[in-house]
């Protein structure tokens, strides 16, 4: 009886570890894809917003 309980517990632990390992592998794959996209967007030329050049300083809104 005790041997059966130990074997069931061992099989449960091995199954849990195998499933956990698979989940970690999938998570790492997803994170790796997102990391590549992030690095690709960082290396791209930044978007520069161009405002109207002839705007007078007196037209600037006042901040209080």
């Amino acid at each position: 009886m005790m041997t059966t309980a130990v074997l069931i517990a061992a099989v449960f632990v091995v199954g849990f570890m195998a499933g956990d390992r698979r989940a970690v592998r999938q998570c790492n794959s997803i994170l790796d894809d997102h990391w590549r996209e992030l690095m690709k967007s960082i290396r791209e030329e930044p978007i520069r917003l161009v405002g109207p050049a002839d705007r007078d300083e007196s037209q600037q809104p006042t901040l209080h």
Side-chain angles (χ1 to χ4, degrees), residues 21-52:
R21 192 169 131 190
R22 180 177 171 213
V24 167
R25 195 174 330 129
Q26 288 176 343
C27 181
N28 283 340
S29 172
I30 292 169
L31 288 174
D32 189 42
D33 291 340
H34 288 128
W35 183 258
R36 278 194 207 113
E37 287 297 318
L38 177 66
M39 290 297 115
K40 190 186 319 177
S41 67
I42 289 174
R43 284 189 216 118
E44 292 177 357
E45 186 68 28
I47 298 172
R48 297 179 190 225
L49 300 176
V50 179

Side-chain angles (χ1 to χ4, degrees), residues 44-63:
E44 292 177 357
E45 186 68 28
I47 298 172
R48 297 179 190 225
L49 300 176
V50 179
D54 57 324
R55 191 169 184 178
D56 191 63
E57 284 188 28
S58 63
Q59 296 176 344
Q60 294 285 338
T62 306
L63 299 176

